Amino acid sequence: MNTEMKNTNPEASREEVSKLKLAIQKSGRLHDDSIKLLKECGIDISNGVNKLKAEASNFPIEVYFLRDDDIPQYVEDAVADIGFVGENVVYEKKKKVSVEEKLGFGKCRLSMAVGRNDEYTGIRFLEGKKIATSYPVILSDFLKKNGVTAEIHEISGSVEIAPGIGLADAICDLVSSGSTLFMNGLKESETILQSQAVLIKNNHLSTQKQVLLNRLLFRIQSVKKARNNKYILLNAPNNKLSEIIALLPGMKSPTVLPLAEEGWSSVHSVLNENDFWDIIEQLKAAGAQGILVVPIEKMIV
Ligand code: ATP
Ligand code: ZN
């Protein structure tokens, strides 16, 4: 019994070495979607929001909970091998990391906003103005690229109140719906960057870690594909089958099964969300009936 226990110890430490270390936001807008994506990838982590790290029970991964601003630095320094973080933070921090995959959540844009009553005629409006932002690096690159000289006033939060209290003439901040701008008497005047959460990785991953990352990326890509596609089932009269099949892209070709009712078939296929309504209308016009659309959980192609 004793020897058995000793024998398992080296195994455990070898396993430790080969775990992929992932940094995600501790709390905030990216936290829940990061956990949800892991879950959809079949990775269950013991819930440890108040802890610094948590382990997955069914994948060799260790999750670190950090402030989003610190994630690029930790990944560059290999404290974490990979991280989920907004592109806005990646471009602002300019750390030596690689962006591997867009994750499809945390969508927002970094925009310029000016007073609601200002007559914004174009980027030249900003010449000589005072601009408040938490993104001085991205903003100064943008101004330089457009040949505009302005004074950048860096503040870490509540940027939208700066014009109202006379601290700035304009702001550069993250926007999703625009309601915060509106409530502060501002209007969006220029988009600098479209952003979403991305997976970043350390530039010097060991082969062993890269193999684990490839497994994770494969799962993430399957989840993303599934989100963009729907499974469709419909009934079609046999004399309309070829017309209906021609409308369906499918993964290879649609599945066609005879119905109990003579002269009818059931057709199954996969549709992309973007073409969805167009194709449904055409299918109805072509004689399809009893159309059922169901979500796909994973899609392996
Ligand atoms: P932390 O405490 O981790 O530093 P934070 O206050 O900097 O958190 P959040 O407000 O939680 O950050 O936003 C995290 C990320 O969510 C942003 O960097 C951005 O990529 C994304 N995001 C999506 N929509 C928005 C939005 N409307 N406003 C701000 N960030 C958004
Ligand atoms: Zn932050």
Side-chain angles (χ1 to χ4, degrees), residues 244-254 269-272 275 279:
I244 284 170
I245 287 170
L247 293 168
L248 294 167
M251 289 219 313
K252 279 215 169 71
S253 60
S269 189
V270 173
L271 277 189
N272 189 286
D275 318 322
I279 295 185

Side-chain angles (χ1 to χ4, degrees), residues 125-149:
F125 173 90
L126 301 168
E127 184 67 37
K129 297 274 194 316
K130 226 191 228 183
I131 310 171
T133 189
S134 309
Y135 294 88
V137 173
I138 298 176
L139 175 59
S140 89
D141 284 353
F142 172 77
L143 294 175
K144 220 176 278 162
K145 206 177 76 199
N146 288 286
V148 171
T149 310

Side-chain angles (χ1 to χ4, degrees), residues 188-202:
E188 196 173 349
S189 55
E190 196 96 41
T191 301
I192 298 187
L193 174 78
Q194 295 283 353
S195 178
Q196 63 175 285
V198 288
L199 186 154
I200 54 170
K201 74 161 188 175
N202 174 272

Side-chain angles (χ1 to χ4, degrees), residues 25 67-70 89 135:
Q25 194 188 23
R67 283 203 56 196
D68 66 345
D69 312 65
D70 299 332
V89 173
Y135 294 88

Side-chain angles (χ1 to χ4, degrees), residues 12 34 50 76 229 234 243 263:
S34 300
N50 295 318
E76 182 185 297
N229 287 280
L234 58 87
E243 194 182 335

Side-chain angles (χ1 to χ4, degrees), residues 43-257:
I43 297 171
D44 290 321
I45 55 166
S46 52
N47 207 346
V49 178
N50 295 318
K51 289 189 292 179
L52 173 65
K53 68 177 191 179
E55 308 242 339
S57 51
N58 51 1
F59 194 87
I61 199 165
E62 226 170 37
V63 182
Y64 288 68
F65 303 108
L66 300 168
R67 283 203 56 196
D68 66 345
D69 312 65
D70 299 332
I71 291 176
Q73 180 76 62
Y74 280 115
V75 171
E76 182 185 297
D77 295 344
V79 175
D81 302 308
I82 58 170
F84 293 172
V85 68
E87 287 175 291
N88 52 308
V89 173
V90 178
Y91 299 137
E92 180 64 25
K93 300 294 175 189
K94 285 195 166 161
K95 299 295 172 195
K96 294 190 197 77
V97 296
S98 333
V99 174
E100 286 290 286
E101 183 81 26
K102 291 190 191 275
L103 299 175
F105 61 85
K107 287 188 179 163
C108 58
R109 51 197 188 273
L110 186 65
S111 288
M112 300 298 313
V114 297
R116 196 184 297 155
N117 300 321
D118 286 342
E119 217 175 291
Y120 186 84
T121 45
I123 297 166
R124 306 260 18 122
F125 173 90
L126 301 168
E127 184 67 37
K129 297 274 194 316
K130 226 191 228 183
I131 310 171
T133 189
S134 309
Y135 294 88
V137 173
I138 298 176
L139 175 59
S140 89
D141 284 353
F142 172 77
L143 294 175
K144 220 176 278 162
K145 206 177 76 199
N146 288 286
V148 171
T149 310
E151 191 184 320
I152 298 178
H153 201 100
E154 183 180 353
I155 44 181
S156 58
S158 303
V159 173
E160 66 283 353
I161 65 165
I165 57 172
L167 197 68
D169 308 303
I171 66 164
C172 165
D173 201 10
L174 293 175
V175 185
S176 44
S177 71
S179 59
T180 310
L181 293 181
F182 183 80
M183 282 190 304
N184 286 279
L186 300 171
K187 65 178 176 194
E188 196 173 349
S189 55
E190 196 96 41
T191 301
I192 298 187
L193 174 78
Q194 295 283 353
S195 178
Q196 63 175 285
V198 288
L199 186 154
I200 54 170
K201 74 161 188 175
N202 174 272
N203 285 339
H204 311 282
L205 279 192
S206 67
T207 316
Q208 207 179 18
K209 298 255 170 117
Q210 185 63 51
V211 168
L212 289 177
L213 174 58
N214 290 347
R215 281 177 63 197
L216 178 63
L217 282 171
F218 177 75
R219 294 187 188 193
I220 291 174
Q221 284 154 5
S222 304
V223 169
K224 277 171 58 186
K225 268 187 216 114
R227 277 188 195 155
N228 290 335
N229 287 280
K230 299 275 181 266
Y231 194 77
I232 177 169
L233 305 93
L234 58 87
N235 295 334
N238 288 347
N239 61 353
K240 294 287 173 82
L241 261 182
S242 51
E243 194 182 335
I244 284 170
I245 287 170
L247 293 168
L248 294 167
M251 289 219 313
K252 279 215 169 71
S253 60
T255 307
V256 180
L257 303 163

